[in-house]
Amino acid sequence: MHQITLWRRLLAEFLGTALLVTAVVGSGIMAVELSPNDVGLQLLENSVATAFALGALILTFGPVSGAHFNPVVSAADWFLGRRSGTGLTIKDLGGYAVAQTLGAIAGSILANLMFDLAPVTMSTKERAAGNLWLGEIVAVVGLLLLIFALGRSGRASVAPAAVGAYIGAAYWFTSSTSFANPSVTIGRAFTDTFAGIAPASVPGFVVAQLVGLLIGVALVVALYPHAGDNADAVVVPHDHADPARRT
C-alpha cells in the first residue's frame, strides 16, 4: 500500500480543520446578518452550513489523513489501534493535534477577514455551565460511537454523510450546540461573533470533551472489541506512514 508522508497528512488536517472552522464561524456571521431577530433561524442556518461543509471536507481530505479534524478522534484512533498496529502513532497524534489546533485558529481569522472584521476578535460569549459541559460529553461520546461503528462494520464510505448529519443534529439536541472538538473550541475563541466562545469558557469545554473521550473509548471497546483493527478507516479509509512504529 502506498504510504502518505506525515507532512502531507498534517497539511490535510490543518486545511480541513481551518475550513471547517471557517464554515462554522462564517455561516454564523452570515446567519446573524440575514436573520438578525431570530436566533432559532440563525442556529438553523449555522447548523445546516456546518453539516454540509463537514461532509464535503471529509470527502476532500479524508483520502490523505482520514479527515479527523479533531484531537479526540485522533486520540481515540491512536489508543484503539495500538494493539493491532493500526491507526496513528504517538508521533502522528501529537502532530495531528497541533495541526488541528493551528488550523482552527486560522479558520476563525479567515472568517473574520472575509466579513471585514479585525483578524482576531476574542470572543466575549460566556459558555460556562454544568449543563453545557454535559452536552459536550454527550456530543463527543455519540461522535466516537458513530465513527468507530462505521469503521468496524465496513461502512466508513458513508462517514461524510453520517458524520455531517450527526453534527448537524447535535447542534439541536445538545445544550452546548455540540462543539465536540478541543481544537475547534480553541479556534472559536478567536472570533467575537455568533459561533464564538469566551477564552475563560474554553477550559471547561475541553475538560468535558476529554471526559467524553474516555467514556466514548470505553463504550467503543465494550461494544466493538476489535474496533482498533479498523483504525486506518477513521474517519474514512486512508494510507498511513510508519506502520511498524506503534507506541
Side-chain angles (χ1 to χ4, degrees):
M1 179 184 288
H2 174 68
Q3 306 208 332
I4 297 176
T5 56
L6 181 58
W7 74 265
R8 289 176 61 200
R9 289 183 286 135
L10 296 184
L11 178 59
E13 288 296 302
F14 173 86
L15 291 173
T17 310
L19 292 173
L20 173 60
V21 174
T22 299
V24 173
V25 174
S27 63
I29 297 171
M30 182 65 80
V32 172
E33 291 183 355
L34 294 176
S35 310
N37 301 314
D38 191 333
V39 177
L41 186 55
Q42 291 169 9
L43 185 62
L44 177 63
E45 293 160 349
N46 188 211
S47 62
V48 169
T50 299
F52 283 138
L54 179 56
L57 291 169
I58 293 172
L59 287 170
T60 302
F61 297 105
V64 180
S65 67
H68 293 187
F69 311 151
N70 188 337
V72 298
V73 173
S74 298
D77 182 65
W78 164 74
F79 181 82
L80 293 170
R82 289 181 307 158
R83 287 180 296 178
S84 54
T86 58
L88 301 180
T89 66
I90 192 66
K91 176 184 175 183
D92 294 340
L93 173 58
Y96 269 48
V98 171
Q100 291 156 355
T101 302
L102 294 177
I105 295 170
S108 275
I109 292 172
L110 178 58
N112 287 336
L113 290 172
M114 283 199 301
F115 286 90
D116 199 26
L117 301 174
V120 174
T121 56
M122 302 306 294
S123 178
T124 57
K125 185 171 290 188
E126 297 290 339
R127 301 178 188 261
N131 65 300
L132 301 183
W133 300 332
L134 177 59
E136 282 301 287
I137 294 172
V138 171
V140 170
V141 170
L143 179 64
L144 292 179
L145 286 174
L146 171 63
I147 289 171
F148 283 92
L150 291 174
R152 186 67 186 92
S153 61
R155 295 176 294 163
S157 61
V158 303
V163 174
Y166 174 81
I167 292 298
Y171 259 78
W172 291 90
F173 72 73
T174 64
S175 55
S176 62
T177 66
S178 185
F179 284 49
N181 185 326
S183 291
V184 167
T185 303
I186 292 170
R188 287 169 64 169
F190 286 76
T191 181
D192 193 19
T193 59
F194 180 81
I197 178 173
S201 299
V202 168
F205 266 54
V206 172
V207 169
Q209 291 155 0
L210 295 178
V211 172
L213 167 64
L214 296 177
I215 296 172
V217 166
L219 289 175
V220 169
V221 170
L223 294 170
Y224 306 102
H226 301 289
D229 295 347
N230 303 93
D232 289 334
V234 173
V235 172
V236 295
H238 60 288
D239 297 341
H240 65 265
D242 303 326
R245 293 182 61 235
R246 304 289 151 194
T247 59

